[in-house]
DNA sequence: CGGTATGATGTAATCGATTACTAGACATCG
DNA sequence: CGATGTCTAGTAATCGATTACATCATACCG
């Protein structure tokens, strides 16, 4: 490991003060041409790089925002990440992503000034006391927690669930099943409530199976569904992954989709369109969510005051594909 | 925004020196019981959190490792991230993930001391000069670049491609197609070369279509394949996503998989098992790669010397599922 | 030519923590 | 009882940058 090079080393080699080196790098126009070249030459010769910790400390900013998500394996997040990345990059900020399930102490440290200037939170399951203790601008995307003292940007999950029910009802299905998300999760709850309200309004029979958004839970639900006497002909899953799990298992059990059962997912992940049968699902504008959220957070960083934001709600829409069809006779 | 609280504020409230506050927090056993309680009470009252930038600067370590990946949307990475996260957590380190395609300057900054103690690199496409300029331990996982001066942990991609060819040949296929990865990518190259060598050894007809690992490229290749006079009956795709794209499009074009064409993927992502037909593919032990890589990097952090590591190569194996079958007559 | 504006550079304070060193209080021991 | 050791806690140096302020040289002006 080559010894670390400090700004004073560069200054010594270039024969100038550290202040001049610093200026030559951050505000080149404020340094004489000859001096600038001497400095840059010394920088190249030594391979000097600014020590981020020192700069962050002195400037009281990190030039970066942090995304906290509960599960990095979740395919749903990736497009959101990409959109945030783009917006942040345009604003000269670095994006760091971290798992939000890493223990209280670490989370508190991460969320405190020094390493990041703001936080984008995609997890509604953290301790509100912890989150509200952060002294940084925070914005919640997709998932939220009313106890967090931070603006929210999300789709109207309840209404979206209504769209799914409407679609299935329109196809003649009179007995619907919902496979819900994990207990306590706000998305799971609002989607389920939206489902129940919609079937209630439409006067349709319904049932709810527990699940947890995963393919495995969808597959398990397929078995429970197959064992029923009077099987629902339409299934609304709380996530696309769950829907894919349900369908694949149903097919393995010898059923036809959508011949025997129509399935609607939620999220419209990349695979939804390529799955076989391709998946009818609720499209969440993930790119727009990420982009708008990032813009908003970046705005919070520059404005000094606390811009009390109205919570946005973005429209979601149904994408009709092959996994849903007319109810069997 | 509440004013930031410094260690000196806590010290003043508790009526002790900053040194004592620091010790009470990091090495509680080295302060008297009463003092400790006074300090902790003041910490609770103020909501004080250590400023990470200041601590990192003084300690010359960040207590975190950085993962750089070229494309966070890639489903393939998620399981690796999770494994790294677990190992790092056990070692008391925080994991940060960043997109590796964020521009030279930012990358150089990120990769320099202050913010992270070590780097896990999943991108072989960066400027070697940049990477070798980092003054931090670096390890390459999965993808690599011979010009980087850092150990590598990966599967034998060439041999793995051979497994795919062997499998298809064993099923009687005599004319194989490979849909390769993006030009210049080391994984794409080694997989293609492994394919070509294996078909050469087996005396089997072959063709190679260009691709880029994505579903879209697989779908495009399906059209090209369908238009051929003498269609290969076995297809080996450079990634699972590509294979899924190929299959879904082939099915839309009216073909049967594996009836008309057998398809093998590469990676064994979560969806491979749930796709319809489920995907025969090369299983990469992603969890083992992430775990071993993280352990190795963590070792590099503690050992002072530069432990010249032998480059590991991990075995990959074929997982036979439904997307491959006997060659049609 | 004296006075002022301008631009380049250096000096030293500063960001907020950790920690080497020091010192006092008290216990222990020969 | 003096010497020595052990705890506890404070003082001040330190990490490596940025930047307010001071200084100096030069240009420009009436």
């Amino acid at each position: 490991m080559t010894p670390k090079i400090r700004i004073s080393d560069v200054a010594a080699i270039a024969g100038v003060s550290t202040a001049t080196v610093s200026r030559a790098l951050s505000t080149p126009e404020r340094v004489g041409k000859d001096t600038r070249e001497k400095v840059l030459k010394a920088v190249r010769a030594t391979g000097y790089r600014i020590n981020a910790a020192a700069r962050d400390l002195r400037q009281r900013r990190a030039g970066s925002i942090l995304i906290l998500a509960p599960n990095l394996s979740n395919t749903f997040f990736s497009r959101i990440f990409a959109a945030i990345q783009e917006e942040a990059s345009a604003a000269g900020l670095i994006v760091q992503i971290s798992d939000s399930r890493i223990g209280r102490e670490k989370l508190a440290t991460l969320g405190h000034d020094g390493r990041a200037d703001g936080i984008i939170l995609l997890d509604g399951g953290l301790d509100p006391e912890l989150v509200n203790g952060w002294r940084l601008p925070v914005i919640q995307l997709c998932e939220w927690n009313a106890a967090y003292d931070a603006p929210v940007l999300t789709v109207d999950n309840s209404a979206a669930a209504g769209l799914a029910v409407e679609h299935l009802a329109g196809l003649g299905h009179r007995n619907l099943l919902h496979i819900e998300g994990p207990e306590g999760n706000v998305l799971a709850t609002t989607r389920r409530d939206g489902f129940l309200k919609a079937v209630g309004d439409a006067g349709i029979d319904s049932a709810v199976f527990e699940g947890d958004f995963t393919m495995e839970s969808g597959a398990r639900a397929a078995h429970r569904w197959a064992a029923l006497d009077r099987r629902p002909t339409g299934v609304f899953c709380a996530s696309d992954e769950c829907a894919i799990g349900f369908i694949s298992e149903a097919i393995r059990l010898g059923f036809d989709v959508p011949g025997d059962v129509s399935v609607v997912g939620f999220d419209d992940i990349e695979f939804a369109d390529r799955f076989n049968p391709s998946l009818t699902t609720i499209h969440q504008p993930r790119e727009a969510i990420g982009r708008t959220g990032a813009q908003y957070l970046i705005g919070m960083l520059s404005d000094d005051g606390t811009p009390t934001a109205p919570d946005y709600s973005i429209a979601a829409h149904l994408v009709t594909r092959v996994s849903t069809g007319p109810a069997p006779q």
Side-chain angles (χ1 to χ4, degrees), chain A:
Chain A
M1 199 72 32
T2 336
K4 304 259 162 79
I5 292 136
R6 301 185 307 286
I7 196 171
S8 57
D9 299 325
V10 177
I13 291 177
V16 299
S17 72
T18 61
T20 301
V21 175
S22 176
R23 281 189 288 251
L25 292 175
S26 56
T27 51
E29 72 281 3
R30 295 174 43 91
V31 182
K33 191 162 176 302
D34 296 355
T35 319
R36 193 189 319 146
E37 275 168 15
K38 266 194 304 185
V39 171
L40 293 182
K41 197 170 148 220
V43 167
R44 271 193 302 273
T46 53
Y48 169 73
R49 295 287 170 182
I50 294 169
N51 179 307
R55 175 163 37 60
D56 294 354
L57 174 59
R58 174 65 224 236
Q59 297 191 329
R60 297 152 143 281
R61 66 188 294 275
S64 82
I65 62 184
L66 179 67
I67 303 176
L68 285 176
N71 173 10
L72 301 175
S73 315
N74 192 332
T75 327
F76 173 72
F77 292 137
S78 49
R79 179 60 60 95
I80 297 178
F81 292 165
I84 294 173
Q85 189 82 254
E86 276 178 35
E87 283 304 310
S89 218
L93 297 167
I94 281 167
V95 177
Q96 314 248 49
I97 302 172
S98 195
D99 196 309
S100 56
R101 304 291 163 91
I102 55 171
R104 238 194 113 76
E105 256 332 290
K106 279 187 195 155
L107 216 48
T109 310
L110 259 188
H112 253 262
D113 120 314
R115 273 203 251 259
D117 298 322
I119 294 182
I120 295 182
L121 194 52
L122 292 106
D123 187 344
L126 306 178
D127 179 358
E129 202 181 324
L130 181 68
V131 173
N132 293 329
W134 291 339
R135 297 281 192 277
L136 297 175
V138 178
I139 186 170
Q140 311 180 63
L141 298 192
C142 300
E143 201 171 314
W144 74 96
N145 185 323
Y148 298 167
D149 187 21
V152 182
L153 186 59
T154 184
V155 299
D156 185 337
N157 286 273
S158 174
L163 293 177
V165 171
E166 237 174 67
H167 171 66
L168 290 169
L171 288 166
H173 296 272
R174 298 282 122 203
N175 184 9
L176 300 184
L177 170 66
H178 175 53
I179 307 173
E180 65 179 344
E183 196 182 326
N185 180 283
V186 68
L187 299 176
T189 310
T190 47
R191 289 171 195 175
R192 185 198 55 212
D193 292 350
F195 169 82
L196 291 175
K197 177 169 186 307
V199 291
D201 288 354
I204 290 179
D205 288 350
S206 73
V208 174
F209 283 2
E210 59 188 20
D212 59 9
F213 291 147
T214 65
M215 292 193 280
E216 289 65 37
S217 76
R220 276 195 305 274
H223 282 275
R224 274 188 73 184
W225 168 83
L228 291 178
D229 275 345
R230 202 176 136 265
R231 280 189 291 270
T233 58
V235 178
F236 168 50
C237 298
S239 78
D240 280 355
E241 297 205 9
C242 176
I244 286 171
F246 182 93
I247 295 174
S248 74
E249 198 66 19
I251 289 173
R252 285 178 200 183
L253 291 171
F255 294 95
D256 180 55
V257 179
D260 297 317
V261 57
S262 287
V263 180
V264 180
F266 203 116
D267 288 344
D268 198 18
I269 60 176
E270 318 291 332
F271 284 110
D273 179 47
R274 287 291 162 193
F275 192 63
N276 182 32
S278 66
L279 193 63
T280 295
T281 187
I282 304 290
H283 177 83
Q284 287 210 62
R286 299 186 281 156
E287 173 143 353
I289 292 175
R291 192 171 300 283
T292 313
Q295 284 168 350
Y296 190 76
L297 182 71
I298 292 168
M300 290 169 82
L301 294 182
S302 44
D303 300 346
D304 304 291
T306 315
T308 345
D311 292 354
Y312 288 78
S313 195
I314 292 188
H317 64 268
L318 184 84
V319 179
T320 309
R321 297 204 183 91
V322 180
S323 68
T324 50
Q329 290 319 310

